[in-house]
């Protein structure tokens, strides 16, 4: 499969264009030959063959080097290098781009599109792990959504739900309970909203939707008081840990397309 075809397939599956006006991330092909100029029929140098794709949560020197060691032609990540544009290619940005070019690896990024996708997204993955049913889109940002909301198969205590979240990939092994819980909701949780990563800004939407709890990755100081006054439990299960699901799903999709894949686990504990 040529790079242009692979990028087009991902863009179409993730509806990348729908998020262009609301996402600071430059989603799609961030580093690589061709881009918009690449099209079927262009030469191999402008539109190289994709034989192996690596997947990681973050584009960092460590994951780029690991992708090179794995012989990857493309690195697909959730967190890329360009957030609102790159003004200077210096320092860490230079080193990361230089490593991609040196190893001839293209970088494909999907930030909010990979949060909100109803089947492949991070929120969808979390919802599946905790057994949410009857899901609806949640987490409005402009005309799109980046999360999901649904019902547990049976009422669960906050402790029981926390134990499930503690088992997510990327949670530190040396902490007895790496998931922080602001336990201000009902004794039994049934309706749960999910916005992965940094999603506490959607607490009010969760309250309006009748949620007993909001699951996200990391918090802000004010959410303690907001959750307490609203009577909602907030689970802070780790930014990295809640955002491995999307790239894992894209890895499976890519394998279904007949391309070799490898997954690069590089937890941050945050």
């Amino acid at each position: 499969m040529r790079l242009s075809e692979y990028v087009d397939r991902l863009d179409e599956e993730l509806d990348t264009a729908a998020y262009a006006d609301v996402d600071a991330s430059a989603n799609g092909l961030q580093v690589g030959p061709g881009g918009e100029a690449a099209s079927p029929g262009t030469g191999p140098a402008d539109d190289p063959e994709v034989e192996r794709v690596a997947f990681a949560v973050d584009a960092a020197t460590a994951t780029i080097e690991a992708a090179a060691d794995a012989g990857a032609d493309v690195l697909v990540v959730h967190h890329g290098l360009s957030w609102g544009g790159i003004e200077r290619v210096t320092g860490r940005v230079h080193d990361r781009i230089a490593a991609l070019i040196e190893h001839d690896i293209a970088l494909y990024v999907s930030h909010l599109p990979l949060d909100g996708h109803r089947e492949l997204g991070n929120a969808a993955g979390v919802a599946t792990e905790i057994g949410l049913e009857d899901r609806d889109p949640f987490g409005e940002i402009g005309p799109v959504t980046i999360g999901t909301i649904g019902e547990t198969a049976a009422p669960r205590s906050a402790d029981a739900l926390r134990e499930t979240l503690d088992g997510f990939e990327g949670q530190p092994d040396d902490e007895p309970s790496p998931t922080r819980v602001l336990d201000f909701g009902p004794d039994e949780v049934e309706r749960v909203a999910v916005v992965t990563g940094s999603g506490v800004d959607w607490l009010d939407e969760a309250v309006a939707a009748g949620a007993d709890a909001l699951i996200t990755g990391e918090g802000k100081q004010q959410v303690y008081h907001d959750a307490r006054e609203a009577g909602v439990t907030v689970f802070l299960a780790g930014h990295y840990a809640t955002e491995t699901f999307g790239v894992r799903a894209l890895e499976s999709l890519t394998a279904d397309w007949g391309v070799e894949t490898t997954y690069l686990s590089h937890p941050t504990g945050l």
Side-chain angles (χ1 to χ4, degrees):
M1 185 184 304
R2 293 290 183 184
L3 177 62
S4 63
E5 180 184 355
Y6 183 62
V7 168
D8 287 347
R9 283 193 182 194
L10 289 179
D11 283 345
E12 181 178 1
E13 180 64 45
L14 295 165
D15 197 13
T16 299
Y19 293 79
D21 293 334
V22 299
D23 198 347
S25 172
N27 296 309
L29 185 66
Q30 277 195 4
V31 179
E36 293 181 359
S39 59
T42 57
D46 296 324
D47 196 12
E49 191 75 23
V50 174
E51 297 181 354
R52 178 180 289 271
V53 181
F55 297 82
V57 174
D58 304 306
T61 300
T63 53
I64 294 168
E65 295 293 348
D69 291 343
D73 304 300
V74 182
L75 174 61
V76 174
V77 299
H78 182 51
H79 301 131
L81 302 180
S82 177
W83 301 90
I86 297 176
E87 294 183 359
R88 300 176 189 272
V89 183
T90 59
R92 288 187 296 273
V93 174
H94 168 273
D95 293 345
R96 292 167 181 172
I97 294 176
L100 289 165
I101 294 173
E102 176 185 353
H103 297 298
D104 200 19
I105 299 173
L107 178 68
Y108 182 93
V109 177
S110 186
H111 184 231
L112 295 186
L114 194 53
D115 284 324
H117 195 283
R118 297 193 66 178
E119 286 82 36
L120 303 174
N122 288 313
V126 171
T128 297
E129 286 295 307
I130 66 173
L132 287 192
E133 302 174 348
D134 301 322
R135 302 180 206 168
D136 291 308
F138 176 82
E140 292 184 359
I141 178 169
V144 295
T145 57
I146 58 172
T148 191
I149 189 168
E151 311 286 335
T152 57
R156 301 175 67 180
S157 68
D159 283 343
L161 190 51
R162 174 190 51 76
E163 289 178 4
T164 301
L165 298 173
D166 282 349
F168 283 3
E169 176 195 337
Q171 291 283 31
D173 295 332
D174 57 350
E175 295 185 23
S177 177
T179 301
R180 293 290 307 276
V181 182
L182 306 180
D183 191 1
F184 300 126
D187 292 339
E188 292 189 321
V189 173
E190 296 184 69
R191 186 161 175 80
V192 180
V194 182
V195 178
T196 61
S198 182
V200 294
D201 289 341
W202 283 269
L203 177 65
D204 286 342
E205 185 180 336
V207 173
D212 303 315
L214 170 67
I215 295 174
T216 188
E218 61 184 72
K220 300 176 182 178
Q221 164 70 12
Q222 188 59 34
V223 73
Y224 174 92
H225 300 289
D226 292 344
R228 183 175 184 177
E229 293 165 13
V232 173
T233 295
V234 175
F235 295 87
L236 307 175
H239 197 129
Y240 181 95
T242 59
E243 296 197 328
T244 62
F245 298 95
V247 288
R248 282 287 204 179
L250 290 184
E251 181 189 17
S252 296
L253 179 65
T254 298
D256 289 343
W257 291 342
V259 179
E260 294 184 11
T261 67
T262 186
Y263 178 71
L264 309 174
S265 179
H266 202 92
T268 65
L270 300 173

